[in-house]
Amino acid sequence: MAEFLQFTKIPRLTRECVITEKIDGTNACIYIGDDGEFLAGSRTRWVTPQDDNFGFARWAYEHKDELMRLGIGRHYGEWWGSGIQRGYGLKEKRWSLFNTSIWSDDAARPACCHVVPVLYRGPFTTEDVAVVLESLKQNGSVASPGFMKPEGVVIYHVAASSYFKKTIEKDEEWKGKNA
């Protein structure tokens, strides 16, 4: 007899969401094991200073002692700035953590880390997403004030525990369509 698989519970759409600025860089991860293991990663693989992704691994190992304060687990963020995608008019690179519920407090996160800016927190509506996108379009990046070509937003739907993105330009196009 086949194993019974319960249908998953469907979350309600109009529940809390957190909208953050989508920063155009490259995904980066720090892994800290319960045995003290320390690894740096990209979206698809572990990286090292010898086999790096825009210098993230080199930076991570240079800041290892400070980054160990993140604690056991996988910590994801965006590695962005000078020489990466839009560059944002920066002379340096930055790592901005995604988990705003933990890392928005400056005192809680390592000083070498930033956090993606929270632009809205409240019940999900498409109207609120549109308002936040229009504000970015008119006022520029919150992550890098004065940079007038921000990429868009990431919407984290708390009840669904899922991320969605919406870009200011070419949102209806598949990013990998020419690949």
Side-chain angles (χ1 to χ4, degrees), residues 65-81:
D65 290 344
E66 204 174 347
L67 291 169
M68 291 297 286
R69 285 189 46 219
L70 294 169
I72 295 168
R74 296 173 195 274
H75 307 280
Y76 294 93
E78 196 76 1
W79 181 240
W80 61 289

Side-chain angles (χ1 to χ4, degrees), residues 8-156:
T8 58
K9 188 171 179 169
I10 300 171
R12 294 188 187 269
L13 184 58
T14 309
R15 291 296 187 260
E16 182 182 14
C17 76
V18 179
I19 302 176
T20 58
E21 182 173 349
K22 182 178 185 322
I23 300 172
D24 191 12
T26 187
N27 188 283
C29 171
I30 294 294
Y31 170 79
I32 300 171
D34 56 7
D35 60 355
E37 181 178 23
F38 181 88
L39 297 170
S42 70
R43 188 177 59 80
T44 59
R45 64 187 176 91
W46 297 120
V47 293
T48 67
Q50 298 75 35
D51 183 20
D52 214 338
N53 185 33
F54 291 100
F56 179 72
R58 181 179 41 77
W59 174 87
Y61 283 95
E62 287 172 0
H63 292 86
K64 178 181 175 182
D65 290 344
E66 204 174 347
L67 291 169
M68 291 297 286
R69 285 189 46 219
L70 294 169
I72 295 168
R74 296 173 195 274
H75 307 280
Y76 294 93
E78 196 76 1
W79 181 240
W80 61 289
S82 180
I84 306 173
Q85 306 296 7
R86 292 170 196 252
Y88 288 80
L90 298 174
K91 293 182 181 359
E92 77 281 355
K93 292 177 177 72
R94 297 176 180 172
W95 189 45
S96 293
L97 291 155
F98 294 149
N99 190 334
T100 61
S101 67
I102 296 174
W103 305 117
S104 287
D105 179 0
D106 292 344
R109 72 176 178 275
C112 63
C113 300
H114 293 76
V115 66
V116 293
V118 174
L119 308 174
Y120 169 85
R121 183 183 309 262
F124 172 81
T125 69
T126 55
E127 293 82 10
D128 287 318
V129 174
V131 166
V132 170
L133 274 171
E134 186 59 28
S135 177
L136 279 176
K137 190 175 177 181
Q138 295 300 316
N139 302 312
S141 172
V142 174
S144 183
F147 183 76
M148 294 308 295
K149 290 210 44 101
E151 185 178 16
V153 297
V154 172
I155 303 106
Y156 176 69

Side-chain angles (χ1 to χ4, degrees), residues 1-7:
M1 180 180 290
E3 177 188 356
F4 181 80
L5 297 176
Q6 180 177 334
F7 191 79

